[in-house]
Amino acid sequence: MSSKGMKLMITQPGLDMHPQGAKLLVRLLREAGFEVLYRCRRQTVAEIVDMAIRENINLLGLSCSSGAHRHFLTAIAKGLKENGAGNTKIFIFGGGALPPGDFEYLYSQGVKAIFLPSGSSLTPVLDWVQGEAAPQV
């Protein structure tokens, strides 16, 4: 599927200190032809929401390994919705060390997909971005 017209942003909210997965994902998506903005660690909820709206992001990827995923992922989804950029314009997917017991709650709050560290393969994330999250033609 063509990546034309897709604009993504990958970031790490809060005090997350593990940027390796996010940086690898940015590289993979860029190599696949996507326009990807990478905003480094320590982004606040307000900064992420504002930038996603201002940059007209189609897909917002949040890497969260700090244990504060419930707070950040739900606050960002709420912020996007309150500012008119809910799930119809911006999808959220999360990754990092998220406990499977939290998945149902995160999905109910607006998270569209969750990816766990899987060794060395980021193929499932790329497949999701190219397939389910791509604009319907």
Side-chain angles (χ1 to χ4, degrees):
M1 177 172 276
S2 172
S3 59
K4 291 186 178 195
M6 293 292 293
K7 191 172 183 182
L8 295 89
M9 182 171 79
I10 306 296
T11 189
Q12 295 173 265
L15 299 176
D16 194 285
M17 296 299 294
H18 301 281
Q20 294 83 356
K23 289 180 179 179
L24 286 172
L25 182 57
V26 168
R27 180 177 170 189
L28 176 76
L29 292 167
R30 285 179 178 161
E31 288 174 357
F34 290 96
E35 180 181 353
V36 183
L37 301 175
Y38 173 65
R39 297 298 180 244
C40 61
R41 308 178 289 208
R42 300 190 175 138
Q43 300 292 305
T44 68
V45 169
E47 289 170 332
I48 292 168
V49 169
D50 179 62
M51 190 171 307
I53 293 169
R54 188 176 64 245
E55 294 288 340
N56 198 28
I57 298 298
N58 299 102
L59 298 174
L60 173 59
L62 303 167
S63 176
C64 191
S65 300
S66 67
H69 54 280
R70 286 175 68 111
H71 165 72
F72 285 116
L73 293 172
T74 57
I76 291 166
K78 182 180 177 185
L80 292 170
K81 187 174 183 178
E82 288 175 351
N83 287 283
N87 294 332
T88 58
K89 289 180 70 178
I90 299 174
F91 290 82
I92 299 173
F93 58 100
L98 307 179
D102 286 350
F103 288 11
E104 187 175 328
Y105 172 78
L106 295 171
Y107 289 134
S108 75
Q109 298 301 304
V111 174
K112 294 298 181 190
I114 298 169
F115 298 95
L116 298 176
S118 59
S120 61
S121 177
L122 292 172
T123 303
V125 181
L126 179 60
D127 290 346
W128 182 82
V129 169
Q130 289 176 323
E132 293 182 42
Q136 302 299 312
V137 186

